[in-house]
Amino acid sequence: MSPRPGIDRLQLLQTAAELADREGLHAVTLAALAAKLGVRSPSLYNHVDGLSGLHAALMRHGLQTLHDELLKAVAGRSGEDALRLVCLTYVDFARTHPGLYEAALQPVRPEEQETQRVGNQIVELLLQILAPYQLSEAEALHAVRTLRSLCHGFSSLERAGQFAMDLSVDDSLDFMIRSFVTGLHLQDGRR
């Protein structure tokens, strides 16, 4: 059975992402997506393998979108400037695409090799940005995990309304980034 003219996989994923961003990942069901697209639920099986296939495709789409935004943000940049832009872009992605961000963070099953490949692209991009700090391979991977943990933790706490003090959230984000960069310089300086 061929897909219905006018509806393609990208349109399906973009509509699913919009639904997730507006109502949360839990709201992305085949019935809800079909209603948004003006088709019957069985028509979606031409593009995805059921709800689990839809969520897997949305996860891959989220990771690819995040990668593309990070890559665009750091094009032509290096060092501290690139690190700062990566953090700002990551947090902005979580702010502006909360449902797609949630989808991107779902566990990747071993058979989802394309999703793993996209996730690895993000890690490779971060490793390239960290290269000037001359960390060992293990240290660089620890730094990638630390950077992602900082950005994810910040984004999650912000989304949960945990930054209620009368203090600039963006100033706190800047402080976090500067602290991370300072830590990298300390690592580099101990050699």
Side-chain angles (χ1 to χ4, degrees):
M1 190 176 235
S2 63
R4 177 179 167 190
I7 295 176
D8 60 26
R9 186 174 171 90
L10 181 58
Q11 181 185 6
L12 178 141
L13 290 173
Q14 289 173 337
T15 303
E18 291 168 8
L19 182 61
D21 287 343
R22 192 173 48 257
E23 299 180 34
L25 183 59
H26 67 279
V28 180
T29 64
L30 294 174
L33 184 56
K36 286 297 253 181
L37 291 168
V39 299
R40 295 176 355 142
S41 294
S43 300
L44 301 180
Y45 284 87
N46 292 321
H47 303 284
V48 293
D49 186 18
L51 185 59
S52 64
L54 172 61
H55 283 192
L58 193 57
M59 174 178 34
R60 190 168 40 258
H61 179 67
L63 286 170
Q64 187 65 59
T65 303
L66 175 59
H67 173 266
D68 293 349
E69 289 188 16
L70 292 172
L71 190 60
K72 182 179 175 185
V74 301
R77 308 293 178 102
S78 63
E80 290 180 30
D81 189 32
L83 273 173
R84 178 175 171 68
L85 288 169
V86 158
C87 292
L88 293 173
T89 302
Y90 187 106
V91 171
D92 185 62
F93 180 81
R95 285 173 175 169
T96 58
H97 301 288
L100 189 57
Y101 177 68
E102 183 183 355
L105 294 178
Q106 300 306 300
V108 180
R109 296 189 308 258
E111 66 272 12
E112 295 173 340
Q113 293 176 353
E114 181 60 21
T115 303
Q116 289 176 0
R117 185 191 64 75
V118 176
N120 289 339
Q121 285 180 328
I122 294 173
V123 172
E124 288 299 321
L125 176 62
L126 297 177
L127 287 171
Q128 289 173 13
I129 291 167
L130 291 166
Y133 293 95
Q134 300 181 0
L135 303 170
S136 71
E137 183 179 346
E139 289 172 330
L141 290 171
H142 290 310
V144 167
R145 284 180 174 174
T146 301
L147 181 63
R148 291 179 74 189
S149 296
L150 288 170
C151 292
H152 173 68
F154 189 94
S155 298
S156 296
L157 290 168
E158 182 180 36
R159 177 134 174 92
Q162 297 296 310
F163 295 148
M165 290 180 192
D166 187 23
L167 184 67
S168 169
V169 174
D170 289 332
D171 286 350
S172 294
L173 178 58
D174 183 62
F175 182 86
M176 180 190 79
I177 296 166
R178 285 186 288 115
S179 297
F180 178 74
V181 170
T182 298
L184 287 176
H185 285 296
L186 291 174
Q187 288 292 326
D188 197 26
R190 70 181 168 81
R191 286 178 177 65

